[in-house]
Amino acid sequence: MNRTLIPTLVGVFTSLFAIWALHTFLIVDECLDNGGSFDYASAKCLLENGQVYDSELATIAVVLYFVVGFIVSFVVSTCIRKVFNIKANS
């Protein structure tokens, strides 16, 4: 495996973890703000009257996830390259 590829892969996997954590936080927080309880087993928001709450953040979240993923991936891969003194192939 190319030595310069490793920081990029670590950055991508770190950004995927960050997106997953952000998604979980946003969905659970919105559910609780609307007076529901989040069922982790089914990953659904249940309101007091028994209905399932559908999030309105879907379109905004996709853009947010893209931006956060790009930034986290870039920062992590740059930091790894600086710490381990890895030069990019020209």
Side-chain angles (χ1 to χ4, degrees):
M1 179 180 283
N2 192 351
R3 185 175 170 198
T4 59
L5 184 62
I6 293 172
T8 303
L9 289 175
V10 172
V12 168
F13 286 119
T14 305
S15 69
L16 290 174
F17 177 75
I19 291 169
W20 172 75
L22 179 64
H23 176 74
T24 302
F25 173 75
L26 288 175
I27 297 301
V28 173
D29 188 50
E30 184 183 14
C31 176
L32 297 177
D33 286 347
N34 288 310
S37 63
F38 194 78
D39 182 19
Y40 288 94
S42 64
K44 296 185 189 247
C45 178
L46 304 174
L47 299 175
E48 292 177 358
N49 59 5
Q51 292 180 334
V52 176
Y53 176 74
D54 291 325
S55 176
E56 297 173 2
L57 288 174
T59 55
I60 298 171
V62 171
V63 174
L64 179 66
Y65 297 157
F66 177 77
V67 171
V68 168
F70 181 77
I71 291 171
V72 169
S73 180
F74 178 75
V75 169
V76 169
S77 65
T78 302
C79 290
I80 290 174
R81 282 190 176 94
K82 286 186 179 186
V83 167
F84 294 108
N85 198 21
I86 298 173
K87 304 277 188 227
N89 291 339
S90 300

